[in-house]
Amino acid sequence: RGILDTGTLGTASSEDPVWTDVTPYFRSGSITRGSRRIESPIITYETGTCAIVLGDPDRRFDPDNLSGPYVSGGETQVTAMRAIRVLAEWAGITYELYRGFIDNWDLTWIDPGDCEVIVTASDGFKVLAGNSRTAGGPIGGSETTGARINRILDSANWPAADRIIATGQSTVQATTLDGSALSELQLTADTEIGELYMDGGGRVVFRNRHALLTETRSNTSQGAFGDSGAELPYTDLKSAADDGTFYNQMKVTRAGGTEQIAEDTASQALLYTRTFRPSGEPILETDAAALDYAQWLLHISRTPETRFTAMTVDPRLQPDDLYPHVLGRQIGDRIT
């Protein structure tokens, strides 16, 4: 979804794009993809962002330069919403770190002969959030959450090649496919208590709630970090022992249903009552399913947890062992 030096800088086509490597102009960058785990026992992933600093001494990335290499029909192709991707190569393996759409080209002149451009971008969640669909007749009743995710992506014209969708464990109510595509996708994922995120290659990934228990990359440690010398080295580690993920009473009301309550009275007697209600109404089909939903949330939240919140790894300490982890680990991978 991006074409450089071939007439236009980017395209919305789902065909294989032609990319231009701008690595010679790269100076620094950062990528952020993650979740709001601390706010809720239901994991919600946010729009992934990227910021790249490019050197621009010849004004090739200046939208006002109509004599630059990225001009077509007298109009600059250096605009917002052009596609961008970040790849890294180590030991002959290419890793997809990021793919998204440019938000802004911010030029800063350091001196008359040197300019830097900060390119900020957001991943496909931005596109899906901005797609407000018109309601139709109710369809898709009793389909699985995975089928619903695919239906929503189809309604937003999201390419089939850019999605990895699991079969869901829950079935859902009918939908009219209206409003923000991202909001409905997230509601469906929350109804599953699954994971929905954009991966480094720009694909929509949906994992059902059993994935953390059944998929090898989540139930088996992919790497052990520690201080013994026999483990992989790290440079910093942060942990938390707070009440951020603790709830011992769940109150869940499905869309059109009756409130269901699951609680741990022993935990309440010891630690007082802390109640959680989902921010949206799950689109489960029955109150019995809503009760199961509440019981699952209670199971994973009924006691305070001590958890690691951040780990910093400098791959230069042990390049052959650490670069594959720094570049290759995915959301949902288990490490020790």
Side-chain angles (χ1 to χ4, degrees), residues 41-91:
I42 301 173
I43 300 174
T44 300
Y45 291 91
E46 300 176 315
T47 301
T49 59
C50 177
I52 299 294
V53 179
L54 300 173
D56 190 22
D58 62 358
R59 298 183 63 208
R60 64 177 49 232
F61 302 116
D62 185 343
D64 293 325
N65 179 18
L66 298 183
S67 299
Y70 313 130
V71 175
S72 178
E75 295 185 2
T76 181
Q77 303 301 297
V78 182
T79 68
M81 289 304 296
R82 300 301 181 182
I84 185 172
R85 70 177 181 181
V86 182
L87 306 176
E89 187 174 295
W90 177 260

Tab-separated table of all heavy atoms in Angstrom, residues 41-91:
chain	number	residue	atom	x	y	z
A	41	PRO	N	-9.630	-6.254	33.529
A	41	PRO	CA	-9.241	-7.639	33.263
A	41	PRO	C	-9.446	-8.028	31.802
A	41	PRO	O	-8.970	-9.075	31.367
A	41	PRO	CB	-10.167	-8.444	34.186
A	41	PRO	CG	-11.343	-7.565	34.422
A	41	PRO	CD	-10.811	-6.168	34.411
A	42	ILE	N	-10.160	-7.179	31.049
A	42	ILE	CA	-10.341	-7.405	29.617
A	42	ILE	C	-9.257	-6.617	28.876
A	42	ILE	O	-9.136	-5.406	29.024
A	42	ILE	CB	-11.736	-6.946	29.151
A	42	ILE	CG1	-12.828	-7.696	29.918
A	42	ILE	CG2	-11.898	-7.167	27.651
A	42	ILE	CD1	-14.225	-7.186	29.639
A	43	ILE	N	-8.452	-7.321	28.092
A	43	ILE	CA	-7.331	-6.680	27.409
A	43	ILE	C	-7.828	-5.946	26.167
A	43	ILE	O	-8.455	-6.544	25.299
A	43	ILE	CB	-6.272	-7.712	27.009
A	43	ILE	CG1	-5.736	-8.427	28.258
A	43	ILE	CG2	-5.137	-7.056	26.248
A	43	ILE	CD1	-4.794	-9.566	27.961
A	44	THR	N	-7.563	-4.659	26.106
A	44	THR	CA	-7.926	-3.853	24.944
A	44	THR	C	-6.656	-3.257	24.344
A	44	THR	O	-5.916	-2.552	25.032
A	44	THR	CB	-8.890	-2.709	25.331
A	44	THR	OG1	-10.075	-3.271	25.899
A	44	THR	CG2	-9.265	-1.893	24.099
A	45	TYR	N	-6.405	-3.560	23.073
A	45	TYR	CA	-5.201	-3.066	22.411
A	45	TYR	C	-5.500	-1.760	21.699
A	45	TYR	O	-6.557	-1.599	21.081
A	45	TYR	CB	-4.652	-4.116	21.442
A	45	TYR	CG	-4.087	-5.304	22.182
A	45	TYR	CD1	-4.889	-6.400	22.486
A	45	TYR	CD2	-2.774	-5.297	22.626
A	45	TYR	CE1	-4.386	-7.472	23.214
A	45	TYR	CE2	-2.263	-6.367	23.345
A	45	TYR	CZ	-3.068	-7.447	23.634
A	45	TYR	OH	-2.576	-8.504	24.359
A	46	GLU	N	-4.535	-0.866	21.772
A	46	GLU	CA	-4.707	0.467	21.213
A	46	GLU	C	-4.072	0.565	19.829
A	46	GLU	O	-3.352	-0.338	19.391
A	46	GLU	CB	-4.084	1.500	22.158
A	46	GLU	CG	-4.722	1.501	23.540
A	46	GLU	CD	-4.035	2.464	24.486
A	46	GLU	OE1	-2.792	2.479	24.528
A	46	GLU	OE2	-4.750	3.217	25.161
A	47	THR	N	-4.310	1.678	19.162
A	47	THR	CA	-3.710	1.935	17.860
A	47	THR	C	-2.193	1.999	18.002
A	47	THR	O	-1.662	2.732	18.832
A	47	THR	CB	-4.223	3.267	17.282
A	47	THR	OG1	-5.646	3.204	17.164
A	47	THR	CG2	-3.607	3.551	15.929
A	48	GLY	N	-1.481	1.226	17.198
A	48	GLY	CA	-0.029	1.255	17.217
A	48	GLY	C	0.485	2.510	16.520
A	48	GLY	O	-0.064	2.941	15.506
A	49	THR	N	1.528	3.097	17.080
A	49	THR	CA	2.065	4.335	16.528
A	49	THR	C	3.546	4.179	16.191
A	49	THR	O	4.244	3.305	16.716
A	49	THR	CB	1.898	5.503	17.514
A	49	THR	OG1	2.566	5.197	18.738
A	49	THR	CG2	0.419	5.759	17.791
A	50	CYS	N	4.000	5.058	15.328
A	50	CYS	CA	5.388	5.039	14.879
A	50	CYS	C	5.835	6.472	14.648
A	50	CYS	O	5.048	7.308	14.176
A	50	CYS	CB	5.504	4.227	13.583
A	50	CYS	SG	7.149	4.182	12.852
A	51	ALA	N	7.068	6.768	14.989
A	51	ALA	CA	7.656	8.079	14.711
A	51	ALA	C	9.053	7.853	14.141
A	51	ALA	O	9.886	7.204	14.773
A	51	ALA	CB	7.721	8.937	15.966
A	52	ILE	N	9.282	8.356	12.952
A	52	ILE	CA	10.549	8.170	12.259
A	52	ILE	C	11.155	9.533	11.949
A	52	ILE	O	10.462	10.426	11.457
A	52	ILE	CB	10.349	7.394	10.934
A	52	ILE	CG1	9.780	6.002	11.213
A	52	ILE	CG2	11.660	7.296	10.158
A	52	ILE	CD1	10.704	5.091	11.968
A	53	VAL	N	12.441	9.689	12.234
A	53	VAL	CA	13.160	10.915	11.880
A	53	VAL	C	13.990	10.640	10.639
A	53	VAL	O	14.842	9.738	10.635
A	53	VAL	CB	14.065	11.397	13.030
A	53	VAL	CG1	14.814	12.662	12.615
A	53	VAL	CG2	13.242	11.657	14.288
A	54	LEU	N	13.729	11.407	9.585
A	54	LEU	CA	14.449	11.279	8.325
A	54	LEU	C	15.270	12.535	8.061
A	54	LEU	O	14.783	13.644	8.263
A	54	LEU	CB	13.472	11.079	7.154
A	54	LEU	CG	12.557	9.855	7.193
A	54	LEU	CD1	11.551	9.921	6.059
A	54	LEU	CD2	13.368	8.571	7.108
A	55	GLY	N	16.489	12.346	7.609
A	55	GLY	CA	17.259	13.474	7.126
A	55	GLY	C	16.737	13.885	5.757
A	55	GLY	O	16.414	13.041	4.916
A	56	ASP	N	16.647	15.195	5.513
A	56	ASP	CA	16.054	15.672	4.261
A	56	ASP	C	16.817	16.886	3.714
A	56	ASP	O	16.251	17.962	3.526
A	56	ASP	CB	14.582	16.026	4.504
A	56	ASP	CG	13.832	16.286	3.197
A	56	ASP	OD1	14.293	15.811	2.143
A	56	ASP	OD2	12.793	16.975	3.250
A	57	PRO	N	18.113	16.747	3.445
A	57	PRO	CA	18.882	17.908	2.975
A	57	PRO	C	18.480	18.388	1.588
A	57	PRO	O	18.707	19.557	1.254
A	57	PRO	CB	20.326	17.390	2.989
A	57	PRO	CG	20.196	15.904	2.844
A	57	PRO	CD	18.946	15.548	3.583
A	58	ASP	N	17.872	17.515	0.767
A	58	ASP	CA	17.487	17.931	-0.592
A	58	ASP	C	15.988	18.186	-0.725
A	58	ASP	O	15.472	18.319	-1.821
A	58	ASP	CB	17.928	16.892	-1.619
A	58	ASP	CG	17.267	15.525	-1.421
A	58	ASP	OD1	16.479	15.382	-0.450
A	58	ASP	OD2	17.547	14.607	-2.213
A	59	ARG	N	15.264	18.228	0.384
A	59	ARG	CA	13.836	18.556	0.439
A	59	ARG	C	12.956	17.524	-0.277
A	59	ARG	O	11.824	17.837	-0.656
A	59	ARG	CB	13.575	19.948	-0.148
A	59	ARG	CG	14.255	21.089	0.593
A	59	ARG	CD	13.870	22.427	-0.029
A	59	ARG	NE	12.437	22.672	0.101
A	59	ARG	CZ	11.740	23.429	-0.761
A	59	ARG	NH1	12.341	23.987	-1.795
A	59	ARG	NH2	10.458	23.624	-0.568
A	60	ARG	N	13.423	16.300	-0.406
A	60	ARG	CA	12.611	15.285	-1.087
A	60	ARG	C	11.345	14.960	-0.311
A	60	ARG	O	10.351	14.500	-0.890
A	60	ARG	CB	13.433	14.022	-1.344
A	60	ARG	CG	13.902	13.293	-0.113
A	60	ARG	CD	14.642	12.001	-0.454
A	60	ARG	NE	15.647	12.223	-1.465
A	60	ARG	CZ	15.735	11.482	-2.583
A	60	ARG	NH1	14.890	10.483	-2.801
A	60	ARG	NH2	16.665	11.729	-3.467
A	61	PHE	N	11.370	15.149	1.025
A	61	PHE	CA	10.197	14.869	1.847
A	61	PHE	C	9.451	16.139	2.244
A	61	PHE	O	8.650	16.126	3.178
A	61	PHE	CB	10.612	14.107	3.109
A	61	PHE	CG	11.325	12.808	2.832
A	61	PHE	CD1	12.650	12.630	3.209
A	61	PHE	CD2	10.685	11.769	2.181
A	61	PHE	CE1	13.321	11.442	2.956
A	61	PHE	CE2	11.339	10.573	1.912
A	61	PHE	CZ	12.661	10.412	2.299
A	62	ASP	N	9.690	17.205	1.541
A	62	ASP	CA	9.028	18.489	1.800
A	62	ASP	C	7.769	18.570	0.926
A	62	ASP	O	7.861	18.601	-0.299
A	62	ASP	CB	9.978	19.637	1.463
A	62	ASP	CG	9.394	21.006	1.817
A	62	ASP	OD1	8.164	21.092	2.012
A	62	ASP	OD2	10.170	21.975	1.877
A	63	PRO	N	6.571	18.606	1.527
A	63	PRO	CA	5.339	18.656	0.724
A	63	PRO	C	5.251	19.878	-0.185
A	63	PRO	O	4.517	19.851	-1.186
A	63	PRO	CB	4.233	18.695	1.790
A	63	PRO	CG	4.850	18.098	3.008
A	63	PRO	CD	6.283	18.524	2.969
A	64	ASP	N	6.012	20.928	0.126
A	64	ASP	CA	5.958	22.150	-0.693
A	64	ASP	C	6.941	22.131	-1.854
A	64	ASP	O	6.959	23.060	-2.665
A	64	ASP	CB	6.240	23.374	0.176
A	64	ASP	CG	5.130	23.619	1.189
A	64	ASP	OD1	3.962	23.359	0.835
A	64	ASP	OD2	5.431	24.041	2.320
A	65	ASN	N	7.761	21.087	-1.941
A	65	ASN	CA	8.758	21.010	-3.002
A	65	ASN	C	8.183	20.275	-4.210
A	65	ASN	O	8.149	19.050	-4.250
A	65	ASN	CB	10.012	20.305	-2.493
A	65	ASN	CG	11.079	20.186	-3.574
A	65	ASN	OD1	11.036	20.888	-4.582
A	65	ASN	ND2	12.036	19.281	-3.366
A	66	LEU	N	7.743	21.024	-5.187
A	66	LEU	CA	7.148	20.420	-6.381
A	66	LEU	C	8.190	20.033	-7.417
A	66	LEU	O	7.851	19.610	-8.524
A	66	LEU	CB	6.119	21.372	-6.987
A	66	LEU	CG	4.923	21.706	-6.076
A	66	LEU	CD1	3.929	22.598	-6.795
A	66	LEU	CD2	4.243	20.428	-5.592
A	67	SER	N	9.466	20.183	-7.071
A	67	SER	CA	10.546	19.738	-7.949
A	67	SER	C	11.210	18.477	-7.408
A	67	SER	O	12.216	18.017	-7.950
A	67	SER	CB	11.602	20.852	-8.082
A	67	SER	OG	11.051	22.019	-8.658
A	68	GLY	N	10.667	17.913	-6.333
A	68	GLY	CA	11.244	16.725	-5.730
A	68	GLY	C	10.908	15.460	-6.479
A	68	GLY	O	10.155	15.466	-7.469
A	69	PRO	N	11.418	14.326	-6.019
A	69	PRO	CA	11.206	13.052	-6.721
A	69	PRO	C	9.815	12.465	-6.536
A	69	PRO	O	9.427	11.557	-7.263
A	69	PRO	CB	12.266	12.137	-6.110
A	69	PRO	CG	12.508	12.699	-4.744
A	69	PRO	CD	12.348	14.177	-4.880
A	70	TYR	N	9.048	12.982	-5.561
A	70	TYR	CA	7.748	12.393	-5.272
A	70	TYR	C	6.633	13.360	-5.653
A	70	TYR	O	5.835	13.800	-4.825
A	70	TYR	CB	7.659	11.996	-3.798
A	70	TYR	CG	8.869	11.241	-3.315
A	70	TYR	CD1	9.527	11.609	-2.150
A	70	TYR	CD2	9.362	10.149	-4.040
A	70	TYR	CE1	10.638	10.919	-1.703
A	70	TYR	CE2	10.477	9.453	-3.606
A	70	TYR	CZ	11.113	9.836	-2.441
A	70	TYR	OH	12.225	9.154	-2.014
A	71	VAL	N	6.600	13.690	-6.920
A	71	VAL	CA	5.585	14.589	-7.477
A	71	VAL	C	4.963	13.909	-8.680
A	71	VAL	O	5.662	13.341	-9.516
A	71	VAL	CB	6.190	15.954	-7.867
A	71	VAL	CG1	5.147	16.829	-8.552
A	71	VAL	CG2	6.760	16.654	-6.648
A	72	SER	N	3.664	13.942	-8.760
A	72	SER	CA	2.952	13.322	-9.875
A	72	SER	C	1.884	14.273	-10.385
A	72	SER	O	1.064	14.766	-9.600
A	72	SER	CB	2.301	12.001	-9.429
A	72	SER	OG	1.568	11.408	-10.495
A	73	GLY	N	1.909	14.564	-11.706
A	73	GLY	CA	0.921	15.462	-12.285
A	73	GLY	C	0.964	16.849	-11.687
A	73	GLY	O	-0.061	17.518	-11.594
A	74	GLY	N	2.145	17.275	-11.234
A	74	GLY	CA	2.287	18.597	-10.655
A	74	GLY	C	1.851	18.689	-9.213
A	74	GLY	O	1.870	19.778	-8.628
A	75	GLU	N	1.474	17.557	-8.600
A	75	GLU	CA	1.027	17.564	-7.204
A	75	GLU	C	1.943	16.686	-6.356
A	75	GLU	O	2.335	15.594	-6.768
A	75	GLU	CB	-0.411	17.062	-7.090
A	75	GLU	CG	-1.437	17.962	-7.779
A	75	GLU	CD	-2.858	17.490	-7.533
A	75	GLU	OE1	-3.016	16.485	-6.801
A	75	GLU	OE2	-3.778	18.106	-8.065
A	76	THR	N	2.263	17.176	-5.153
A	76	THR	CA	3.097	16.388	-4.258
A	76	THR	C	2.380	15.119	-3.830
A	76	THR	O	1.165	15.108	-3.634
A	76	THR	CB	3.503	17.206	-3.019
A	76	THR	OG1	4.345	16.388	-2.191
A	76	THR	CG2	2.280	17.635	-2.227
A	77	GLN	N	3.141	14.066	-3.708
A	77	GLN	CA	2.608	12.816	-3.170
A	77	GLN	C	3.039	12.622	-1.714
A	77	GLN	O	2.785	11.581	-1.114
A	77	GLN	CB	3.079	11.641	-4.025
A	77	GLN	CG	2.699	11.758	-5.499
A	77	GLN	CD	1.201	11.870	-5.691
A	77	GLN	OE1	0.465	10.953	-5.349
A	77	GLN	NE2	0.750	12.986	-6.233
A	78	VAL	N	3.738	13.634	-1.174
A	78	VAL	CA	4.136	13.609	0.240
A	78	VAL	C	2.974	14.161	1.049
A	78	VAL	O	2.905	15.345	1.369
A	78	VAL	CB	5.420	14.436	0.461
A	78	VAL	CG1	5.848	14.364	1.927
A	78	VAL	CG2	6.536	13.930	-0.436
A	79	THR	N	2.013	13.290	1.367
A	79	THR	CA	0.807	13.703	2.077
A	79	THR	C	0.511	12.735	3.219
A	79	THR	O	1.120	11.667	3.324
A	79	THR	CB	-0.409	13.738	1.135
A	79	THR	OG1	-0.720	12.391	0.735
A	79	THR	CG2	-0.135	14.587	-0.101
A	80	ALA	N	-0.413	13.137	4.047
A	80	ALA	CA	-0.888	12.235	5.094
A	80	ALA	C	-1.578	11.022	4.476
A	80	ALA	O	-2.006	11.058	3.314
A	80	ALA	CB	-1.860	12.973	6.013
A	81	MET	N	-1.662	9.959	5.233
A	81	MET	CA	-2.320	8.701	4.881
A	81	MET	C	-1.539	7.860	3.876
A	81	MET	O	-2.028	6.830	3.422
A	81	MET	CB	-3.756	8.918	4.374
A	81	MET	CG	-4.713	9.342	5.468
A	81	MET	SD	-4.770	8.187	6.870
A	81	MET	CE	-5.423	6.704	6.107
A	82	ARG	N	-0.312	8.281	3.518
A	82	ARG	CA	0.529	7.394	2.730
A	82	ARG	C	0.992	6.247	3.618
A	82	ARG	O	1.136	6.389	4.834
A	82	ARG	CB	1.742	8.148	2.163
A	82	ARG	CG	1.370	9.316	1.266
A	82	ARG	CD	0.531	8.874	0.090
A	82	ARG	NE	0.200	9.996	-0.781
A	82	ARG	CZ	-0.551	9.895	-1.869
A	82	ARG	NH1	-1.047	8.728	-2.215
A	82	ARG	NH2	-0.801	10.965	-2.596
A	83	ALA	N	1.218	5.110	3.020
A	83	ALA	CA	1.608	3.928	3.787
A	83	ALA	C	3.089	3.975	4.148
A	83	ALA	O	3.913	4.524	3.420
A	83	ALA	CB	1.314	2.665	2.988
A	84	ILE	N	3.408	3.396	5.283
A	84	ILE	CA	4.785	3.301	5.745
A	84	ILE	C	4.977	1.950	6.401
A	84	ILE	O	4.057	1.417	7.039
A	84	ILE	CB	5.123	4.448	6.726
A	84	ILE	CG1	6.594	4.426	7.112
A	84	ILE	CG2	4.232	4.390	7.957
A	84	ILE	CD1	7.032	5.650	7.923
A	85	ARG	N	6.142	1.378	6.229
A	85	ARG	CA	6.445	0.146	6.939
A	85	ARG	C	7.891	0.196	7.425
A	85	ARG	O	8.737	0.886	6.850
A	85	ARG	CB	6.224	-1.092	6.063
A	85	ARG	CG	7.220	-1.272	4.926
A	85	ARG	CD	6.957	-2.567	4.170
A	85	ARG	NE	7.928	-2.763	3.093
A	85	ARG	CZ	7.924	-3.808	2.265
A	85	ARG	NH1	6.982	-4.737	2.377
A	85	ARG	NH2	8.838	-3.921	1.328
A	86	VAL	N	8.141	-0.529	8.503
A	86	VAL	CA	9.471	-0.606	9.087
A	86	VAL	C	9.860	-2.080	9.144
A	86	VAL	O	9.164	-2.882	9.769
A	86	VAL	CB	9.515	0.014	10.495
A	86	VAL	CG1	10.941	-0.054	11.045
A	86	VAL	CG2	9.028	1.455	10.471
A	87	LEU	N	10.957	-2.398	8.494
A	87	LEU	CA	11.490	-3.749	8.498
A	87	LEU	C	12.876	-3.730	9.139
A	87	LEU	O	13.578	-2.725	9.088
A	87	LEU	CB	11.604	-4.312	7.077
A	87	LEU	CG	10.344	-4.297	6.210
A	87	LEU	CD1	10.677	-4.800	4.806
A	87	LEU	CD2	9.251	-5.144	6.829
A	88	ALA	N	13.264	-4.842	9.740
A	88	ALA	CA	14.611	-4.982	10.281
A	88	ALA	C	15.158	-6.335	9.845
A	88	ALA	O	14.411	-7.312	9.743
A	88	ALA	CB	14.610	-4.877	11.801
A	89	GLU	N	16.435	-6.371	9.583
A	89	GLU	CA	17.064	-7.618	9.153
A	89	GLU	C	18.181	-8.000	10.105
A	89	GLU	O	19.004	-7.157	10.484
A	89	GLU	CB	17.609	-7.466	7.726
A	89	GLU	CG	18.135	-8.766	7.134
A	89	GLU	CD	18.539	-8.621	5.679
A	89	GLU	OE1	17.661	-8.372	4.844
A	89	GLU	OE2	19.741	-8.749	5.405
A	90	TRP	N	18.186	-9.256	10.495
A	90	TRP	CA	19.250	-9.775	11.348
A	90	TRP	C	19.504	-11.232	10.985
A	90	TRP	O	18.568	-12.018	10.890
A	90	TRP	CB	18.884	-9.665	12.831
A	90	TRP	CG	19.940	-10.251	13.723
A	90	TRP	CD1	19.929	-11.476	14.323
A	90	TRP	CD2	21.192	-9.659	14.065
A	90	TRP	NE1	21.081	-11.682	15.032
A	90	TRP	CE2	21.879	-10.579	14.894
A	90	TRP	CE3	21.796	-8.441	13.754
A	90	TRP	CZ2	23.152	-10.307	15.401
A	90	TRP	CZ3	23.059	-8.173	14.276
A	90	TRP	CH2	23.720	-9.091	15.092
A	91	ALA	N	20.766	-11.554	10.746
A	91	ALA	CA	21.189	-12.931	10.436
A	91	ALA	C	20.396	-13.514	9.269
A	91	ALA	O	20.006	-14.684	9.289
A	91	ALA	CB	21.061	-13.818	11.674
